Amino acid sequence: MWEDLQEWRQTLFEYETTDIENAYDKWMEQAFSLLPDSLQIQFFEKLDGWLFHLNSMLRESQLQTDAEERILRTARSMDSDINTLEDLRKLSIDQLTFLAEQQAARHRLYSFAQGGMIGTGKTVLVGSDLVAMAVINLRAVQLMAMSFGYNVKSPAGLLETLKVFHTATLPERLKMFGWEDLIHDLQKGDEQFYYHEQERMTDSSWIDEPLKHLLKVSLILMLSKKKVSGLPLASMFIGAGVNYKTTRKITDFTLKYYQYKFLLIKSGDI
């Protein structure tokens, strides 16, 4: 598994940007340069704050507590001595991967269903899609971290999951920078830096996801009026497909990160 992870990691660094991606990056840079610096800073600070508070609310919710109990019950079927999340690290990497993949599969299904519902074109559902997807995917990252025995309720755990989510949603051409930042954080070895370090997480490079969301919503609104047997099948297919693909991308990256972290710690390199 370590060799597979190293090969996957290498693909991040060997990714070659296309001419279209380079042109898009230049266009985005020019577009943001037209906005005053103070407005850009304010916008991304508010976006950071919104994501942080949403992530914090999720970790304290009863749903999260119930999910933790389910993870521990499943783990006890593998080892009866499991009592806490930290005890999960006694399990093998394959067993932990199984627990995390259960959470990933469940949240991909949630995204698929959510996308199908917004595909109906109903205003309330379409308007709440961005928040719903943020909740589903942030929760998926948190539960997958818990499946590897990590406490997401600590300040370090809270911001680590937020950083993993952020990197997972970056365009492929930028993921290597987010990955290196995550590994650099791990190698610091001091969990408290997460809490004290002041840094902005989102910037213009992260704007791809909101733009994709707007494109998806536009297509859904255009196609939702075309119905087959009373259902807007085309728009429902787009909503379900895009949402599923987004969550799959995020959960795939999250799994790779926590596998890598677990094996890196086991090897004694950090």
Side-chain angles (χ1 to χ4, degrees):
M1 184 177 288
W2 179 252
E3 290 175 356
D4 289 342
L5 287 169
Q6 291 290 4
E7 289 178 7
W8 170 82
R9 175 180 172 273
Q10 193 61 29
T11 63
L12 297 180
F13 292 90
E14 293 177 349
Y15 183 85
E16 296 184 4
T17 57
T18 64
D19 291 340
I20 294 176
E21 288 173 333
N22 289 328
Y24 172 80
D25 286 340
K26 289 180 181 178
W27 178 81
M28 286 297 299
E29 185 178 344
Q30 291 174 352
F32 270 91
S33 67
L34 299 175
L35 300 174
D37 289 342
S38 58
L39 185 61
Q40 291 186 47
I41 292 171
Q42 185 179 16
F43 172 77
F44 288 113
E45 281 180 348
K46 288 186 179 297
L47 184 57
D48 271 4
W50 179 75
L51 287 171
F52 180 87
H53 290 299
L54 182 60
N55 203 36
S56 183
M57 286 172 58
L58 286 172
R59 71 171 181 171
E60 300 296 343
S61 68
Q62 185 61 43
L63 284 174
Q64 211 75 334
T65 302
D66 293 343
E68 180 178 339
E69 285 301 316
R70 287 197 301 271
I71 292 170
L72 290 174
R73 281 199 301 271
T74 304
R76 287 189 196 106
S77 68
M78 304 173 184
D79 185 337
S80 59
D81 292 332
I82 300 293
N83 294 306
T84 66
L85 284 179
E86 288 73 18
D87 291 339
L88 291 174
R89 287 176 235 170
K90 300 175 184 177
L91 300 176
S92 70
I93 185 66
D94 289 326
Q95 290 170 317
L96 295 175
T97 296
F98 172 77
L99 293 174
E101 285 180 336
Q102 279 191 319
Q103 302 304 323
R106 184 175 289 116
H107 285 79
R108 288 171 188 171
L109 182 59
Y110 294 158
S111 283
F112 185 84
Q114 163 69 13
M117 287 191 294
I118 70 158
T120 60
K122 294 183 179 178
T123 305
V124 174
L125 294 174
V126 172
S128 63
D129 179 56
L130 188 60
V131 175
M133 283 297 291
V135 168
I136 290 170
N137 290 304
L138 281 169
R139 189 163 182 266
V141 173
Q142 287 188 0
L143 294 187
M144 292 177 75
M146 290 161 62
S147 297
F148 275 86
Y150 297 111
N151 178 18
V152 301
K153 293 185 178 180
S154 67
L158 173 67
L159 285 185
E160 182 182 43
T161 53
L162 195 55
K163 285 187 173 186
V164 171
F165 169 79
H166 169 256
T167 304
T169 54
L170 285 174
E172 293 301 317
R173 62 190 181 278
L174 300 176
K175 270 194 173 67
M176 60 180 176
F177 301 111
W179 175 265
E180 285 296 279
D181 186 44
L182 285 167
I183 301 306
H184 178 64
D185 287 350
L186 283 180
Q187 292 171 338
K188 286 183 178 179
D190 178 8
E191 287 195 346
Q192 292 305 310
F193 87 91
Y194 282 109
Y195 184 73
H196 294 296
E197 186 172 328
Q198 297 297 318
E199 59 180 328
R200 198 175 72 195
M201 196 171 304
T202 57
D203 54 29
S204 58
S205 66
W206 195 73
I207 210 68
D208 276 24
E209 284 303 316
L211 289 177
K212 288 178 183 176
H213 171 76
L214 290 176
L215 177 60
K216 177 185 70 177
V217 168
S218 299
L219 287 172
I220 285 172
L221 292 177
M222 283 192 297
L223 297 173
S224 60
K225 295 178 182 178
K226 298 179 180 179
K227 298 183 179 181
V228 178
S229 300
L231 291 174
L233 296 181
S235 59
M236 290 175 70
F237 176 79
I238 290 172
V242 171
N243 281 16
Y244 176 86
K245 185 177 180 180
T246 298
T247 300
R248 181 171 183 174
K249 177 181 74 170
I250 292 170
T251 53
D252 282 350
F253 180 89
T254 301
L255 181 63
K256 292 287 194 300
Y257 171 74
Y258 282 105
Q259 286 174 331
Y260 194 93
K261 177 180 178 178
F262 181 83
L263 293 175
L264 200 61
I265 292 173
K266 282 287 185 182
S267 69
D269 287 346
I270 59 173

